[in-house]
Amino acid sequence: MSETNSPQMPPPTPRNLNAAGRKLWDASTDPEAFEWAQHELAILEEACRTRDRIVQLDQAVASDGVMISSSQGSRVHPAIGESRQQRLALARLLYTLGIPPLEDDVLPKTAGVRGFYRGSATR
């Protein structure tokens, strides 16, 4: 068997990914479907870690409730805003890689890049 016909091995899973991040990594690193450069793998790893953070933030809200007590009275849990920001970041990272979100991801629709960056987009 020649080297060109040998099956490609998927890149190793990054350390300390939780289930949500591993699910994205495994779905995105099938060597028959994807061929990633090193810089793209770094972006994919960050997307996986972002997906893990979203799950952790959602768990904090589920545990503590939408409203929390503070010295100024009740207020919205800060994890709600952070979760929204992480979802935006994940959507942008996935768009940069040109891959769709997983079915269980609830992400905003991306219309692509705007302004100066439009001409340099690889999509």
Side-chain angles (χ1 to χ4, degrees), residues 50-82:
T50 301
R51 196 164 192 269
D52 282 342
R53 276 191 295 278
I54 291 168
V55 168
Q56 292 168 342
L57 291 165
D58 290 349
Q59 287 172 345
V61 173
S63 171
D64 302 339
V66 174
M67 302 299 287
I68 60 170
S69 297
S70 73
S71 59
Q72 290 91 23
S74 291
R75 65 184 192 116
V76 174
H77 198 299
I80 291 175
E82 185 58 30

Side-chain angles (χ1 to χ4, degrees), residues 15-59:
R15 289 185 164 163
N16 302 320
L17 285 183
N18 294 325
R22 275 195 315 273
K23 184 175 180 181
L24 177 58
W25 183 268
D26 292 343
S28 304
T29 55
D30 177 2
E32 293 182 18
F34 297 98
E35 188 174 324
W36 299 111
Q38 277 308 119
H39 71 282
E40 293 171 318
L41 286 173
I43 294 169
L44 178 59
E45 180 178 347
E46 185 57 32
C48 294
R49 295 197 187 286
T50 301
R51 196 164 192 269
D52 282 342
R53 276 191 295 278
I54 291 168
V55 168
Q56 292 168 342
L57 291 165
D58 290 349
Q59 287 172 345

